[in-house]
């Protein structure tokens, strides 16, 4: 069986394609980098910009206004909890929701609050498995 498109595709001609590589280059997705492998992931992991802004992004001025944290520690927390949830729910399928505690980046919070994220496994640009961490309301 060939993976080449047929002359008359079932869903019609492709109008537009937006690849994962383009999303990473555009900043729509942010690569979790080598820390994902350290946390136990075997496949590439990226976060949506919204998930990154909500749970990872942190600056020195955030630490001055709120409580001392750093971005790499916040990324580690997200990746560690995602990896733990994936191992604990290995039969969950291609989508899994998981929780973690994080300080909201609102300019005043100092205590961590529980939040939910979504981990999706899907095909990359060449059909390889990749993982994406999103906010629960994102697709």
């Amino acid at each position: 069986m060939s993976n080449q498109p047929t002359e008359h595709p079932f869903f019609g001609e492709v109008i537009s394609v937006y690849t994962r590589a383009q999303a990473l280059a555009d900043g729509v997705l942010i690569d979790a980098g080598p820390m994902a492998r350290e946390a136990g992931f075997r496949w590439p992991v990226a976060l949506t910009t919204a998930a990154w802004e909500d749970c990872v992004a942190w600056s020195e001025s955030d630490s001055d206004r709120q409580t001392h944290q750093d971005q790499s520690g916040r990324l580690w927390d997200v990746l560690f909890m995602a990896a733990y949830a994936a191992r604990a729910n290995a039969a969950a399928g291609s989508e899994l929701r998981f929780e973690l505690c994080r300080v909201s980046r609102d300019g005043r919070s100092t205590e961590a609050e529980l939040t939910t994220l979504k981990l999706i496994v899907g095909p990359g640009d060449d059909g390889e498995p990749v993982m994406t961490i999103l906010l629960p309301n994102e697709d």
Side-chain angles (χ1 to χ4, degrees):
M1 179 165 191
S2 171
N3 287 336
Q4 299 299 319
T6 60
E7 193 171 316
H8 302 285
F10 180 75
F11 293 106
E13 291 184 42
V14 175
I15 296 170
S16 177
V17 174
Y18 188 64
T19 67
R20 185 176 178 91
Q22 288 171 316
L24 288 162
D26 292 346
V28 173
L29 292 178
I30 300 169
D31 185 8
M35 194 181 288
R37 189 164 291 283
E38 291 175 38
F41 288 101
R42 295 180 301 195
W43 301 328
V45 178
L47 288 81
T48 62
T49 303
W52 182 277
E53 288 297 320
D54 187 58
C55 295
V56 178
W58 200 262
S59 67
E60 285 187 38
S61 61
D62 293 323
S63 287
D64 293 342
R65 280 192 316 266
Q66 294 182 242
T67 187
H68 180 74
Q69 295 194 345
D70 66 31
Q71 200 163 269
S72 65
R74 288 168 64 94
L75 177 58
W76 175 257
D77 291 347
V78 170
L79 294 171
F80 180 85
M81 293 306 293
Y84 176 79
R87 284 190 304 276
N89 299 284
S94 63
E95 184 176 313
L96 170 69
R97 290 176 188 255
F98 67 97
E99 296 180 325
L100 74 143
C101 290
R102 60 90 177 98
V103 175
S104 177
R105 190 178 182 210
D106 59 10
R108 62 185 180 282
S109 297
T110 58
E111 298 293 321
E113 297 175 352
L114 193 63
T115 191
T116 302
L117 292 173
K118 182 168 54 174
L119 177 66
I120 295 178
V121 178
D125 294 342
D126 297 316
E128 76 283 9
V130 296
M131 303 182 103
T132 306
I133 297 173
L134 315 88
L135 294 179
N137 61 343
E138 292 184 291
D139 290 329

